Amino acid sequence: MITRKINIDSIEKIQSFVKIINQFSGRFDLISGCSKVNARSIMGIFSLDISKPLDLNIYNDESADSILTSISSYVIKSTVPATEHREYA
C-alpha cells in the first residue's frame, strides 16, 4: 500500500480525479479523519470534508508509478517522506 495526501476541494476536481482513478485496476481508499470511502465513488467522496487534504491509499503496487503520475496534479508536495507499506503475499 502507498499513501499520498491529495487535494480535491471542488466538484470539478472530484469528477476529474474519479475519472482518472477508474482507469486503473485495484483498490483505492480516501480517508478523512475517521471516515474511509472508495476513491472510485463520487458520492462517497462528497461525504468527506474536502476542504482539507485527504489521504489516498493505493493498493495496486504494480501500477503505482503510473497512477501517481496520472494524479500528480492532486498530490500535495511535501518535504516529509511519503508513506509506503509494501504488503507481500
Side-chain angles (χ1 to χ4, degrees), residues 63-81:
S63 301
D65 290 337
S66 297
I67 295 164
L68 291 171
T69 298
S70 296
I71 64 165
S72 63
S73 63
Y74 304 100
V75 176
I76 297 172
K77 309 300 183 238
S78 174
T79 57
V80 178

Side-chain angles (χ1 to χ4, degrees), residues 28-85:
F28 305 91
D29 293 330
L30 283 172
I31 301 163
S32 175
C34 296
S35 300
K36 177 168 73 169
V37 300
N38 183 338
R40 298 177 187 279
S41 169
I42 289 175
M43 294 305 291
I45 295 171
F46 282 133
S47 72
L48 300 176
D49 180 3
I50 61 169
S51 68
K52 298 176 184 170
L54 305 172
D55 287 325
L56 171 66
N57 290 343
I58 301 170
Y59 296 91
N60 183 340
D61 289 344
E62 296 81 32
S63 301
D65 290 337
S66 297
I67 295 164
L68 291 171
T69 298
S70 296
I71 64 165
S72 63
S73 63
Y74 304 100
V75 176
I76 297 172
K77 309 300 183 238
S78 174
T79 57
V80 178
T83 304
E84 295 193 22
H85 301 280

Side-chain angles (χ1 to χ4, degrees), residues 6-48:
I6 64 165
N7 181 23
I8 49 174
D9 58 359
S10 71
I11 293 171
E12 294 80 18
K13 285 182 181 180
I14 291 170
Q15 291 172 328
S16 175
F17 175 81
V18 169
K19 185 175 181 179
I20 293 168
I21 285 296
N22 279 313
Q23 295 174 5
F24 296 95
S25 63
R27 187 172 131 210
F28 305 91
D29 293 330
L30 283 172
I31 301 163
S32 175
C34 296
S35 300
K36 177 168 73 169
V37 300
N38 183 338
R40 298 177 187 279
S41 169
I42 289 175
M43 294 305 291
I45 295 171
F46 282 133
S47 72
L48 300 176

